[in-house]
Amino acid sequence: RPSDYDSACHNQPQCSLTNIQQLITTMSDLIKIAYIFIPLGIFFLVAWLSRGSGPGLSKDFPLKFRILASIRTPLLMFIVVPLSCVWNVYRALREFWRQCLIKNDPEGHKERCDVVVRQILEWNKQGRPKRLRTARPNWASMSTKVASNKDSCALISTSHLNHILKIDEENLTITCEPNVKMGQITQALIPRRLALKCQIEMESLTIGGISSGWGLETNSYAHGFFQETVREYEICLSSGDVLTVNKDNNPDLFYALPWSHGSIGFLLSVTVQLIRIKPYVKITYVPTFSPSELQSKLEYYTVEKPTHTFVEATMYTKEKAVIQLGDFVEKPEASERLNGINHFWKPFYFRHVETFLERGEDWEVVPIKHFYHRFTRSIFWELELMIPFSNHPIYRCLWGWMGAPEVSLLKLFRGPMVRRASTRSHVVQESIMPLKKLAE
């Protein structure tokens, strides 16, 4: 009937509007669900893709450790790596600001040192109730040590001592506060065509830790340990006295500070030798296929004919290794290959070196900063153990530009219990031996 028809026509827009509103509400709910479940799905898909082909961790390990180990890869990819990238960008901008816009004058250094001295003098007034340690938390150090033994100690804040104080281009020395990292140093020195005489490759290592502990590099066969390039220390003793220590005014203390690991006093600054460099390094790769061959060639390059600036060897099996010989060059010749080995889309350096076992002896030219920090992206070869597909081209293109996870953040996100259990499942060991014993 006409009246019914008019009523239906009258109600139709209202029904359509209601249906659209319901559809929008439903779509909104689906999007909210997708926001939750799609990231979770990706998270657990990455965890599944990164699982090993072996039997897995023994049930002797704590359940919490086994669970966290199974999701370690997505935790690193989606949390630790982005945080590390942000932190590294902040440090680079901070150092740029300091070097270009702010003068690190002696008064500023004295004020920062006075903060340390006042804390120690206060500790003395209290009757020296506890042992002295730095306030840096255990997770912030590069050490794999689990226990910190700091809970029952008097903690002295020194983290603010992170400034480069002076670059003496005439006498070839640099003076830094102890928490200055290797990455800061290369950022400041390479534009001046300078570098540490013994330039450590890991960007997160501090000059104070290396000076008070120990360090060596691929040119150490010519220059010795890092400690042999140190010219002067400035330390604060437990009495609150500040001493300037070098081989002339306090030789006993000067030679006791290396390997002391901060047990003698708090390092306030250190002066280290520099060398002049060129923009590129020519690397020659020499494969070897037995321990005796490796030993004889290393002896030739370092003892019989020590003509190369850098000498290094990487072993891949008990029998196979690749020797890398480096020399400064001003620029690549027309016939020489230029390879930016540290670009994020490139294979990890140690994997690149491995290819010369098949390719045979060859050479290439790399930019100097790429050479000095050639193992940073892969944390030597540790990153593949944490993110198994980290050297895959897809990962390198999508995530590689953010760099490697900071070792300190790796330790922070694992927690004390997991760090304790990980020392039973993973070993990092450094050792020093005479070259003449290598084949044995």
Side-chain angles (χ1 to χ4, degrees):
R1 293 177 296 178
S3 60
D4 294 339
Y5 177 79
D6 292 342
S7 177
C9 291
H10 178 74
N11 293 329
Q12 186 175 359
Q14 184 176 355
C15 294
S16 299
L17 181 60
T18 302
N19 291 337
I20 291 173
Q21 289 175 340
Q22 290 176 348
L23 179 61
I24 292 174
T25 302
T26 303
M27 291 294 294
S28 177
D29 291 339
L30 289 174
I31 290 172
K32 289 178 182 178
I33 294 173
Y35 277 148
I36 298 173
F37 285 99
I38 289 178
L40 282 175
I42 295 174
F43 185 91
F44 287 108
L45 175 63
V46 170
W48 180 78
L49 291 173
S50 63
R51 73 195 193 286
S53 58
L57 289 171
S58 167
K59 291 184 178 180
D60 293 336
F61 290 102
L63 177 62
K64 181 180 177 181
F65 175 71
R66 285 181 279 142
I67 292 174
L68 289 176
S70 67
I71 61 173
R72 174 178 60 177
T73 296
L75 281 174
L76 293 176
M77 286 180 60
F78 300 119
I79 298 177
V80 179
V81 170
L83 285 177
S84 300
C85 178
V86 172
W87 178 237
N88 288 329
V89 170
Y90 161 73
R91 285 193 306 202
L93 292 175
R94 181 188 67 184
E95 195 57 31
F96 175 80
W97 175 265
R98 287 176 178 174
Q99 292 299 316
C100 298
L101 303 177
I102 297 178
K103 298 296 183 182
N104 291 312
D105 60 325
E107 285 302 315
H109 173 62
K110 185 179 183 304
E111 290 174 5
R112 292 188 291 273
C113 291
D114 286 344
V115 173
V116 177
V117 172
R118 284 196 299 268
Q119 294 175 79
I120 295 178
L121 292 176
E122 181 62 28
W123 172 77
N124 277 278
K125 289 180 182 178
Q126 295 173 0
R128 300 189 167 195
K130 301 176 181 179
R131 293 183 178 181
L132 292 174
R133 298 288 297 276
T134 65
R136 183 175 66 171
N138 187 46
W139 60 263
S141 70
M142 287 290 290
S143 171
T144 57
K145 184 180 178 182
V146 176
S148 66
N149 301 322
K150 291 188 177 183
D151 293 340
S152 59
C153 297
L155 302 182
I156 306 299
S157 177
T158 60
S159 60
H160 57 290
L161 296 174
N162 57 10
H163 293 66
I164 295 175
L165 302 176
K166 182 180 179 182
I167 300 173
D168 188 339
E169 299 189 39
E170 182 178 350
N171 295 311
L172 291 179
T173 61
I174 183 172
T175 303
C176 301
E177 292 174 340
N179 289 315
V180 171
K181 298 180 182 292
M182 291 294 115
Q184 291 175 251
I185 292 174
T186 52
Q187 183 180 346
L189 291 181
I190 286 180
R192 295 175 166 88
R193 297 176 66 117
L194 298 171
L196 297 179
K197 196 171 186 179
C198 185
Q199 178 68 60
I200 306 300
E201 65 244 353
M202 287 299 291
E203 294 185 55
S204 295
L205 291 172
T206 62
I207 193 169
I210 298 167
S211 301
S212 298
W214 70 282
L216 53 82
E217 254 307 321
T218 56
N219 59 354
S220 288
Y221 83 94
H223 299 309
F225 288 111
F226 187 89
Q227 69 202 49
E228 295 172 78
T229 70
V230 175
R231 285 295 162 260
E232 190 170 88
Y233 300 92
E234 181 187 13
I235 66 168
C236 181
L237 302 179
S238 61
S239 61
D241 295 325
V242 175
L243 299 181
T244 299
V245 180
N246 55 51
K247 64 180 181 181
D248 297 320
N249 69 1
N250 207 326
D252 290 343
L253 189 55
F254 178 77
Y255 291 109
L257 281 168
W259 302 78
S260 66
H261 300 279
S263 60
I264 296 176
F266 290 96
L267 188 62
L268 302 178
S269 71
V270 59
T271 301
V272 181
Q273 280 184 300
L274 302 176
I275 57 171
R276 301 195 186 278
I277 60 173
K278 295 179 181 179
Y280 299 93
V281 174
K282 180 179 179 180
I283 306 177
T284 302
Y285 302 95
V286 183
T288 63
F289 299 94
S290 70
S292 58
E293 181 187 8
L294 175 62
Q295 177 180 323
S296 63
K297 287 189 174 181
L298 284 176
E299 288 177 334
Y300 175 78
Y301 293 127
T302 60
V303 180
E304 299 173 25
K305 192 179 178 182
T307 58
H308 296 284
T309 305
F310 306 100
V311 180
E312 177 179 27
T314 305
M315 295 194 69
Y316 294 93
T317 68
K318 185 179 179 181
E319 304 294 328
K320 297 179 180 180
V322 179
I323 298 173
Q324 299 127 74
L325 309 171
D327 296 284
F328 291 122
V329 293
E330 194 64 40
K331 62 180 181 179
E333 299 293 337
S335 60
E336 294 175 329
R337 181 174 67 255
L338 177 62
N339 186 7
I341 55 174
N342 238 16
H343 289 310
F344 68 84
W345 60 85
K346 293 281 188 174
F348 290 155
Y349 178 70
F350 80 96
R351 289 298 184 196
H352 172 63
V353 173
E354 188 178 18
T355 63
F356 292 95
L357 290 171
E358 298 291 335
R359 295 161 60 180
E361 183 172 334
D362 202 354
W363 64 87
E364 63 186 1
V365 177
V366 303
I368 181 63
K369 189 171 184 179
H370 288 232
F371 174 77
Y372 274 142
H373 297 309
R374 59 200 177 279
F375 288 115
T376 294
R377 284 195 306 134
S378 58
I379 317 180
F380 290 96
W381 35 85
E382 289 285 300
L383 188 57
E384 281 193 356
L385 300 176
M386 297 179 280
I387 305 176
F389 44 76
S390 56
N391 195 41
H392 193 280
I394 294 177
Y395 178 91
R396 294 200 306 263
C397 291
L398 295 180
W399 254 265
W401 61 271
M402 287 189 281
E406 278 284 310
V407 174
S408 57
L409 292 180
L410 287 174
K411 295 172 67 177
L412 174 63
F413 277 83
R414 284 190 296 177
M417 188 280 293
V418 176
R419 290 201 300 270
R420 192 175 300 111
S422 66
T423 59
R424 297 171 52 205
S425 63
H426 183 68
V427 176
V428 177
Q429 182 65 53
E430 293 181 309
S431 60
I432 303 174
M433 69 182 75
L435 181 57
K436 63 183 179 182
K437 298 287 185 179
L438 177 62
E440 299 177 15

